[in-house]
Amino acid sequence: MSVAIELAKKGYGYTAPNPVVGAVIVKDGCIIGQGYHEKYGEPHAERNALASCSQSPEGATIYVTLEPCCHHGKQPPCTDAIIEAGISRVVTGSGDPNPLVGGKGIRILKDHGIQVTEHVLKEECDGLNPVFFHYIQTGRPYVTMKYAMTMDGKIAAYTGASRWVTGEEARHHVHEQRKKNTGIMVGIGTVLADDPMLNCRIEGGRDPIRIICDTHLKTPVTSKIVKTAKDIPTIIACCVSDEELQRPYKEAGCKILLTEKKMGHIDLQHLMELLGKEKIDSVLLEGGGTLNWAALEAGIVQKVQAYIAPKLFGGTTAKTPVEGRGVEEPDQAFLIKHKKVRVLGEDLLIEGEVERNVYGDH
């Protein structure tokens, strides 16, 4: 199962909105086949593992990180392939929360006389697919709020200069996250201040879909994002229904998502529903302090990644990662659970899941 887990990780960035899955086939104590779900729309891990077998898989055991599917989607059911191959035992890690599967795959296998062992290295297997689990159950993308700051909590100097807060290794890690996430989202403030590209700049990388939160449609048509929209999928979320104002963006290749308005700005809850319908299952939020607070307050953030540099900027007016109104009392704070700390060169990465928001209802 440990081998299957490592295989599954190879699919990050390519299988969305499907999960990453690894499979290993063992016979007489030896691995005779292995595979993973390589790309959305292509064969699943079980079928790839069966196709790679060095000898007949009849009577073998297959280890799969996720319960085999039993429904027709882009691919036929993996349960059919397992049964036809004569596999005698199936070992699974995670159960499948997809209502089309949800235990049905296990039941079909057992009904065909196949021995099934469930929940092997379940925690590790569950850890492969928090995005898929969230998306399949809510229909909304899994949002990771990412920012880089100094040890005194600044994301830029008081002048606005921010290149670079963290070192090369931490910045490379950010681009790995861009590769893994289906979308990347910023606010109009970031576009006006930095004119970013928001692409993935690592070898073999995949550019995420760029999402701009721009209530009043103020994104410059001359910005890098708009000028490259025909090369990199770009969504501008706004509350402007005037088609004449939308026209230059559409002609440049941008997709306009018209959202509801809340407190004078984009309704982020509604935006998440729209993005989910676009099959965007994960979003890396790289906004400034204003958008970060709005996202937390709206209850759309599932995870936080804070890159911390061993530096001090100071400055009363220097920007911080989360601004906005903030909480009134310490006991209203957004709590972070399942925390992990990682050293990246001279910097630290602290990440964890958001447990609740200030209202305690998300």
Side-chain angles (χ1 to χ4, degrees):
M1 188 64 80
S2 294
V3 175
I5 289 170
E6 292 307 309
L7 285 168
K9 293 176 182 177
K10 294 183 177 182
Y12 278 134
Y14 302 102
T15 65
N18 283 351
V20 294
V21 183
V24 173
I25 299 172
V26 176
K27 188 173 183 178
D28 299 327
C30 297
I31 292 177
I32 63 167
Q34 55 186 7
Y36 66 98
H37 184 27
E38 298 177 15
K39 190 176 180 180
Y40 177 70
E42 295 185 358
H44 292 178
E46 297 92 324
R47 289 182 179 272
N48 282 334
L50 288 166
S52 77
C53 282
S54 57
Q55 58 177 279
S56 170
E58 187 173 355
T61 296
I62 185 168
Y63 293 80
V64 191
T65 56
L66 184 70
E67 177 184 349
C69 67
C70 59
H71 65 286
H72 282 271
K74 291 281 185 180
Q75 293 290 326
C78 288
T79 49
D80 288 359
I82 290 169
I83 293 165
E84 290 166 8
I87 295 288
S88 63
R89 181 178 177 228
V90 175
V91 180
T92 66
S94 299
D96 193 333
N98 187 337
L100 294 172
V101 183
K104 295 177 185 175
I106 298 296
R107 188 163 61 251
I108 288 170
L109 293 172
K110 288 181 176 179
D111 287 347
H112 281 80
I114 296 173
Q115 181 185 351
V116 180
T117 304
E118 299 179 69
H119 310 313
V120 172
L121 296 185
K122 182 179 186 302
E123 187 174 337
E124 292 89 337
C125 290
D126 287 352
L128 291 169
N129 286 301
V131 167
F132 173 70
F133 293 163
H134 176 81
Y135 180 69
I136 203 72
Q137 292 174 311
T138 68
R140 299 180 177 189
Y142 184 97
V143 178
T144 300
M145 186 173 78
K146 165 264 165 185
Y147 53 82
M149 69 178 188
T150 59
M151 284 182 68
D152 57 343
K154 308 296 184 181
I155 60 174
Y158 77 90
T159 59
S162 61
R163 294 187 180 180
W164 296 102
V165 173
T166 52
E168 188 174 334
E169 191 169 334
R171 297 200 301 274
H172 180 83
H173 189 267
V174 168
H175 284 277
E176 289 179 345
Q177 305 312 300
R178 289 184 178 184
K179 173 187 172 183
K180 286 174 66 173
N181 283 267
T182 304
I184 181 170
M185 187 165 81
V186 299
I188 180 61
T190 297
V191 175
L192 295 175
D194 301 336
D195 192 20
M197 273 289 287
L198 302 179
N199 59 344
C200 177
R201 297 188 291 276
I202 57 174
E203 187 176 347
R206 178 201 56 82
D207 291 326
I209 298 169
R210 303 178 299 191
I211 305 155
I212 314 303
C213 293
D214 183 6
T215 305
H216 305 294
L217 206 50
K218 299 294 185 183
T219 298
V221 179
T222 56
S223 65
K224 291 176 184 175
I225 283 174
V226 175
K227 289 170 71 174
T228 57
K230 289 182 178 177
D231 300 316
I232 303 174
T234 303
I235 292 172
I236 300 180
C238 69
C239 300
V240 177
S241 58
D242 188 322
E243 292 196 6
E244 280 304 308
L245 292 176
Q246 293 181 7
R247 189 185 307 279
Y249 300 100
K250 290 181 176 179
E251 289 177 350
C254 299
K255 183 182 183 73
I256 300 290
L257 284 186
L258 192 61
T259 71
E260 296 171 1
K261 189 179 285 189
K262 188 172 184 179
M263 303 293 287
H265 296 283
I266 285 170
D267 184 335
L268 291 173
Q269 287 274 4
H270 183 225
L271 175 58
M272 292 304 109
E273 293 175 11
L274 296 177
L275 293 178
K277 290 174 182 176
E278 295 286 328
K279 291 191 174 181
I280 296 175
D281 64 342
S282 58
V283 170
L284 187 63
L285 175 58
E286 291 200 21
T290 300
L291 181 57
N292 284 348
W293 168 255
L296 285 168
E297 193 173 36
I300 67 167
V301 179
Q302 280 69 55
K303 183 178 180 179
V304 175
Q305 290 183 317
Y307 297 82
I308 304 174
K311 303 172 183 177
L312 304 171
F313 281 180
T316 304
T317 60
K319 296 285 188 180
T320 59
V322 182
E323 296 177 346
R325 182 187 63 182
V327 301
E328 295 177 1
E329 300 289 341
D331 62 4
Q332 294 178 323
F334 293 84
L335 304 179
I336 306 298
K337 62 180 181 179
H338 301 149
K339 299 169 287 293
K340 295 179 182 177
V341 180
R342 179 175 173 180
V343 177
L344 296 170
E346 295 184 348
D347 307 308
L348 290 177
L349 168 61
I350 301 179
E351 55 187 339
E353 299 168 16
V354 178
E355 187 166 6
R356 66 178 177 86
N357 78 350
V358 287
Y359 305 112
D361 61 357
H362 290 289

PDB file of all heavy atoms in Angstrom, residues 305-330:
ATOM      1  N   GLN A 305      -1.646  27.816   4.100  1.00  0.00           N
ATOM      2  CA  GLN A 305      -0.203  27.569   3.964  1.00  0.00           C
ATOM      3  C   GLN A 305       0.525  28.889   4.195  1.00  0.00           C
ATOM      4  O   GLN A 305       0.380  29.819   3.392  1.00  0.00           O
ATOM      5  CB  GLN A 305       0.134  27.036   2.563  1.00  0.00           C
ATOM      6  CG  GLN A 305      -0.355  25.624   2.294  1.00  0.00           C
ATOM      7  CD  GLN A 305       0.056  25.124   0.924  1.00  0.00           C
ATOM      8  OE1 GLN A 305      -0.016  25.845  -0.059  1.00  0.00           O
ATOM      9  NE2 GLN A 305       0.489  23.871   0.840  1.00  0.00           N
ATOM     10  N   ALA A 306       1.271  28.958   5.276  1.00  0.00           N
ATOM     11  CA  ALA A 306       2.003  30.178   5.607  1.00  0.00           C
ATOM     12  C   ALA A 306       3.498  29.914   5.475  1.00  0.00           C
ATOM     13  O   ALA A 306       4.069  29.103   6.211  1.00  0.00           O
ATOM     14  CB  ALA A 306       1.673  30.631   7.026  1.00  0.00           C
ATOM     15  N   TYR A 307       4.128  30.581   4.510  1.00  0.00           N
ATOM     16  CA  TYR A 307       5.576  30.503   4.320  1.00  0.00           C
ATOM     17  C   TYR A 307       6.188  31.640   5.152  1.00  0.00           C
ATOM     18  O   TYR A 307       5.837  32.809   4.953  1.00  0.00           O
ATOM     19  CB  TYR A 307       5.943  30.666   2.853  1.00  0.00           C
ATOM     20  CG  TYR A 307       5.400  29.577   1.961  1.00  0.00           C
ATOM     21  CD1 TYR A 307       4.081  29.621   1.490  1.00  0.00           C
ATOM     22  CD2 TYR A 307       6.189  28.498   1.577  1.00  0.00           C
ATOM     23  CE1 TYR A 307       3.580  28.633   0.655  1.00  0.00           C
ATOM     24  CE2 TYR A 307       5.699  27.502   0.745  1.00  0.00           C
ATOM     25  CZ  TYR A 307       4.386  27.573   0.298  1.00  0.00           C
ATOM     26  OH  TYR A 307       3.890  26.587  -0.517  1.00  0.00           O
ATOM     27  N   ILE A 308       7.070  31.299   6.066  1.00  0.00           N
ATOM     28  CA  ILE A 308       7.594  32.293   7.009  1.00  0.00           C
ATOM     29  C   ILE A 308       9.102  32.430   6.829  1.00  0.00           C
ATOM     30  O   ILE A 308       9.851  31.458   6.950  1.00  0.00           O
ATOM     31  CB  ILE A 308       7.262  31.907   8.458  1.00  0.00           C
ATOM     32  CG1 ILE A 308       5.741  31.725   8.604  1.00  0.00           C
ATOM     33  CG2 ILE A 308       7.775  32.966   9.430  1.00  0.00           C
ATOM     34  CD1 ILE A 308       5.319  31.204   9.952  1.00  0.00           C
ATOM     35  N   ALA A 309       9.538  33.671   6.531  1.00  0.00           N
ATOM     36  CA  ALA A 309      10.961  33.953   6.321  1.00  0.00           C
ATOM     37  C   ALA A 309      11.578  34.493   7.612  1.00  0.00           C
ATOM     38  O   ALA A 309      10.929  35.250   8.335  1.00  0.00           O
ATOM     39  CB  ALA A 309      11.120  34.972   5.200  1.00  0.00           C
ATOM     40  N   PRO A 310      12.832  34.127   7.902  1.00  0.00           N
ATOM     41  CA  PRO A 310      13.504  34.612   9.113  1.00  0.00           C
ATOM     42  C   PRO A 310      13.988  36.054   8.924  1.00  0.00           C
ATOM     43  O   PRO A 310      15.190  36.336   8.909  1.00  0.00           O
ATOM     44  CB  PRO A 310      14.658  33.622   9.279  1.00  0.00           C
ATOM     45  CG  PRO A 310      14.981  33.203   7.893  1.00  0.00           C
ATOM     46  CD  PRO A 310      13.685  33.186   7.146  1.00  0.00           C
ATOM     47  N   LYS A 311      13.020  36.943   8.722  1.00  0.00           N
ATOM     48  CA  LYS A 311      13.310  38.359   8.476  1.00  0.00           C
ATOM     49  C   LYS A 311      12.333  39.220   9.256  1.00  0.00           C
ATOM     50  O   LYS A 311      11.250  38.755   9.637  1.00  0.00           O
ATOM     51  CB  LYS A 311      13.161  38.695   6.979  1.00  0.00           C
ATOM     52  CG  LYS A 311      14.016  37.871   6.040  1.00  0.00           C
ATOM     53  CD  LYS A 311      13.649  38.157   4.582  1.00  0.00           C
ATOM     54  CE  LYS A 311      14.454  37.294   3.627  1.00  0.00           C
ATOM     55  NZ  LYS A 311      14.062  37.517   2.211  1.00  0.00           N
ATOM     56  N   LEU A 312      12.708  40.470   9.484  1.00  0.00           N
ATOM     57  CA  LEU A 312      11.829  41.444  10.139  1.00  0.00           C
ATOM     58  C   LEU A 312      11.770  42.699   9.272  1.00  0.00           C
ATOM     59  O   LEU A 312      12.797  43.290   8.977  1.00  0.00           O
ATOM     60  CB  LEU A 312      12.352  41.792  11.539  1.00  0.00           C
ATOM     61  CG  LEU A 312      12.562  40.611  12.503  1.00  0.00           C
ATOM     62  CD1 LEU A 312      13.283  41.091  13.766  1.00  0.00           C
ATOM     63  CD2 LEU A 312      11.239  39.968  12.863  1.00  0.00           C
ATOM     64  N   PHE A 313      10.579  43.095   8.856  1.00  0.00           N
ATOM     65  CA  PHE A 313      10.412  44.287   8.025  1.00  0.00           C
ATOM     66  C   PHE A 313      10.025  45.520   8.842  1.00  0.00           C
ATOM     67  O   PHE A 313      10.429  46.625   8.530  1.00  0.00           O
ATOM     68  CB  PHE A 313       9.326  44.059   6.961  1.00  0.00           C
ATOM     69  CG  PHE A 313       9.777  43.260   5.762  1.00  0.00           C
ATOM     70  CD1 PHE A 313       8.885  42.980   4.739  1.00  0.00           C
ATOM     71  CD2 PHE A 313      11.084  42.791   5.643  1.00  0.00           C
ATOM     72  CE1 PHE A 313       9.281  42.255   3.617  1.00  0.00           C
ATOM     73  CE2 PHE A 313      11.485  42.063   4.540  1.00  0.00           C
ATOM     74  CZ  PHE A 313      10.583  41.789   3.517  1.00  0.00           C
ATOM     75  N   GLY A 314       9.202  45.298   9.874  1.00  0.00           N
ATOM     76  CA  GLY A 314       8.687  46.445  10.622  1.00  0.00           C
ATOM     77  C   GLY A 314       7.765  47.292   9.765  1.00  0.00           C
ATOM     78  O   GLY A 314       7.437  46.945   8.633  1.00  0.00           O
ATOM     79  N   GLY A 315       7.316  48.408  10.305  1.00  0.00           N
ATOM     80  CA  GLY A 315       6.479  49.327   9.542  1.00  0.00           C
ATOM     81  C   GLY A 315       5.013  49.248   9.933  1.00  0.00           C
ATOM     82  O   GLY A 315       4.370  48.227   9.733  1.00  0.00           O
ATOM     83  N   THR A 316       4.503  50.336  10.495  1.00  0.00           N
ATOM     84  CA  THR A 316       3.101  50.376  10.917  1.00  0.00           C
ATOM     85  C   THR A 316       2.161  50.140   9.755  1.00  0.00           C
ATOM     86  O   THR A 316       1.127  49.480   9.890  1.00  0.00           O
ATOM     87  CB  THR A 316       2.775  51.739  11.556  1.00  0.00           C
ATOM     88  OG1 THR A 316       3.685  51.965  12.641  1.00  0.00           O
ATOM     89  CG2 THR A 316       1.349  51.788  12.068  1.00  0.00           C
ATOM     90  N   THR A 317       2.509  50.663   8.582  1.00  0.00           N
ATOM     91  CA  THR A 317       1.617  50.561   7.427  1.00  0.00           C
ATOM     92  C   THR A 317       1.962  49.396   6.501  1.00  0.00           C
ATOM     93  O   THR A 317       1.297  49.216   5.483  1.00  0.00           O
ATOM     94  CB  THR A 317       1.662  51.860   6.611  1.00  0.00           C
ATOM     95  OG1 THR A 317       3.006  52.089   6.162  1.00  0.00           O
ATOM     96  CG2 THR A 317       1.187  53.046   7.441  1.00  0.00           C
ATOM     97  N   ALA A 318       2.996  48.634   6.834  1.00  0.00           N
ATOM     98  CA  ALA A 318       3.364  47.487   5.989  1.00  0.00           C
ATOM     99  C   ALA A 318       2.233  46.456   5.992  1.00  0.00           C
ATOM    100  O   ALA A 318       1.629  46.181   7.030  1.00  0.00           O
ATOM    101  CB  ALA A 318       4.659  46.853   6.486  1.00  0.00           C
ATOM    102  N   LYS A 319       1.954  45.903   4.820  1.00  0.00           N
ATOM    103  CA  LYS A 319       0.825  44.991   4.653  1.00  0.00           C
ATOM    104  C   LYS A 319       1.023  43.676   5.417  1.00  0.00           C
ATOM    105  O   LYS A 319       2.136  43.159   5.526  1.00  0.00           O
ATOM    106  CB  LYS A 319       0.611  44.673   3.173  1.00  0.00           C
ATOM    107  CG  LYS A 319       0.215  45.879   2.326  1.00  0.00           C
ATOM    108  CD  LYS A 319      -1.224  46.261   2.575  1.00  0.00           C
ATOM    109  CE  LYS A 319      -1.699  47.328   1.609  1.00  0.00           C
ATOM    110  NZ  LYS A 319      -3.113  47.709   1.857  1.00  0.00           N
ATOM    111  N   THR A 320      -0.098  43.137   5.898  1.00  0.00           N
ATOM    112  CA  THR A 320      -0.102  41.847   6.580  1.00  0.00           C
ATOM    113  C   THR A 320      -0.962  40.856   5.789  1.00  0.00           C
ATOM    114  O   THR A 320      -1.754  41.260   4.938  1.00  0.00           O
ATOM    115  CB  THR A 320      -0.652  41.977   8.012  1.00  0.00           C
ATOM    116  OG1 THR A 320      -1.984  42.492   7.947  1.00  0.00           O
ATOM    117  CG2 THR A 320       0.215  42.926   8.831  1.00  0.00           C
ATOM    118  N   PRO A 321      -0.831  39.553   6.048  1.00  0.00           N
ATOM    119  CA  PRO A 321      -1.515  38.555   5.219  1.00  0.00           C
ATOM    120  C   PRO A 321      -3.040  38.613   5.274  1.00  0.00           C
ATOM    121  O   PRO A 321      -3.708  38.331   4.288  1.00  0.00           O
ATOM    122  CB  PRO A 321      -1.013  37.216   5.774  1.00  0.00           C
ATOM    123  CG  PRO A 321       0.218  37.531   6.518  1.00  0.00           C
ATOM    124  CD  PRO A 321       0.060  38.911   7.027  1.00  0.00           C
ATOM    125  N   VAL A 322      -3.582  38.927   6.443  1.00  0.00           N
ATOM    126  CA  VAL A 322      -5.032  38.956   6.607  1.00  0.00           C
ATOM    127  C   VAL A 322      -5.410  40.292   7.237  1.00  0.00           C
ATOM    128  O   VAL A 322      -5.007  40.589   8.363  1.00  0.00           O
ATOM    129  CB  VAL A 322      -5.527  37.792   7.499  1.00  0.00           C
ATOM    130  CG1 VAL A 322      -7.054  37.815   7.602  1.00  0.00           C
ATOM    131  CG2 VAL A 322      -5.060  36.450   6.946  1.00  0.00           C
ATOM    132  N   GLU A 323      -6.168  41.084   6.514  1.00  0.00           N
ATOM    133  CA  GLU A 323      -6.522  42.417   7.008  1.00  0.00           C
ATOM    134  C   GLU A 323      -8.033  42.488   7.271  1.00  0.00           C
ATOM    135  O   GLU A 323      -8.544  41.723   8.079  1.00  0.00           O
ATOM    136  CB  GLU A 323      -6.034  43.465   6.004  1.00  0.00           C
ATOM    137  CG  GLU A 323      -4.511  43.465   5.895  1.00  0.00           C
ATOM    138  CD  GLU A 323      -3.958  44.426   4.861  1.00  0.00           C
ATOM    139  OE1 GLU A 323      -4.732  44.932   4.014  1.00  0.00           O
ATOM    140  OE2 GLU A 323      -2.751  44.668   4.896  1.00  0.00           O
ATOM    141  N   GLY A 324      -8.741  43.355   6.601  1.00  0.00           N
ATOM    142  CA  GLY A 324     -10.177  43.443   6.813  1.00  0.00           C
ATOM    143  C   GLY A 324     -10.531  43.856   8.225  1.00  0.00           C
ATOM    144  O   GLY A 324      -9.731  44.467   8.944  1.00  0.00           O
ATOM    145  N   ARG A 325     -11.733  43.522   8.645  1.00  0.00           N
ATOM    146  CA  ARG A 325     -12.220  43.908   9.963  1.00  0.00           C
ATOM    147  C   ARG A 325     -11.519  43.138  11.082  1.00  0.00           C
ATOM    148  O   ARG A 325     -11.197  43.679  12.130  1.00  0.00           O
ATOM    149  CB  ARG A 325     -13.741  43.652  10.041  1.00  0.00           C
ATOM    150  CG  ARG A 325     -14.371  44.064  11.364  1.00  0.00           C
ATOM    151  CD  ARG A 325     -15.822  43.609  11.415  1.00  0.00           C
ATOM    152  NE  ARG A 325     -15.906  42.139  11.372  1.00  0.00           N
ATOM    153  CZ  ARG A 325     -17.046  41.466  11.368  1.00  0.00           C
ATOM    154  NH1 ARG A 325     -18.192  42.122  11.348  1.00  0.00           N
ATOM    155  NH2 ARG A 325     -17.045  40.147  11.330  1.00  0.00           N
ATOM    156  N   GLY A 326     -11.292  41.845  10.853  1.00  0.00           N
ATOM    157  CA  GLY A 326     -10.699  41.020  11.895  1.00  0.00           C
ATOM    158  C   GLY A 326     -11.704  40.620  12.951  1.00  0.00           C
ATOM    159  O   GLY A 326     -12.851  41.061  12.940  1.00  0.00           O
ATOM    160  N   VAL A 327     -11.288  39.778  13.866  1.00  0.00           N
ATOM    161  CA  VAL A 327     -12.168  39.314  14.952  1.00  0.00           C
ATOM    162  C   VAL A 327     -12.148  40.311  16.101  1.00  0.00           C
ATOM    163  O   VAL A 327     -11.195  41.064  16.277  1.00  0.00           O
ATOM    164  CB  VAL A 327     -11.755  37.915  15.449  1.00  0.00           C
ATOM    165  CG1 VAL A 327     -11.796  36.904  14.311  1.00  0.00           C
ATOM    166  CG2 VAL A 327     -10.355  37.932  16.077  1.00  0.00           C
ATOM    167  N   GLU A 328     -13.213  40.295  16.889  1.00  0.00           N
ATOM    168  CA  GLU A 328     -13.314  41.218  18.024  1.00  0.00           C
ATOM    169  C   GLU A 328     -12.597  40.673  19.249  1.00  0.00           C
ATOM    170  O   GLU A 328     -12.018  41.438  20.035  1.00  0.00           O
ATOM    171  CB  GLU A 328     -14.786  41.467  18.363  1.00  0.00           C
ATOM    172  CG  GLU A 328     -15.545  42.197  17.264  1.00  0.00           C
ATOM    173  CD  GLU A 328     -17.022  42.364  17.605  1.00  0.00           C
ATOM    174  OE1 GLU A 328     -17.437  41.922  18.704  1.00  0.00           O
ATOM    175  OE2 GLU A 328     -17.748  42.927  16.771  1.00  0.00           O
ATOM    176  N   GLU A 329     -12.650  39.374  19.454  1.00  0.00           N
ATOM    177  CA  GLU A 329     -12.071  38.744  20.641  1.00  0.00           C
ATOM    178  C   GLU A 329     -11.209  37.552  20.246  1.00  0.00           C
ATOM    179  O   GLU A 329     -11.491  36.886  19.233  1.00  0.00           O
ATOM    180  CB  GLU A 329     -13.189  38.257  21.579  1.00  0.00           C
ATOM    181  CG  GLU A 329     -14.125  39.354  22.082  1.00  0.00           C
ATOM    182  CD  GLU A 329     -13.450  40.277  23.093  1.00  0.00           C
ATOM    183  OE1 GLU A 329     -12.415  39.881  23.664  1.00  0.00           O
ATOM    184  OE2 GLU A 329     -13.959  41.391  23.300  1.00  0.00           O
ATOM    185  N   PRO A 330     -10.166  37.259  21.038  1.00  0.00           N
ATOM    186  CA  PRO A 330      -9.307  36.115  20.722  1.00  0.00           C
ATOM    187  C   PRO A 330     -10.062  34.794  20.577  1.00  0.00           C
ATOM    188  O   PRO A 330      -9.671  33.938  19.770  1.00  0.00           O
ATOM    189  CB  PRO A 330      -8.331  36.070  21.903  1.00  0.00           C
ATOM    190  CG  PRO A 330      -8.226  37.494  22.341  1.00  0.00           C
ATOM    191  CD  PRO A 330      -9.613  38.049  22.169  1.00  0.00           C
TER     192      PRO A 330
END
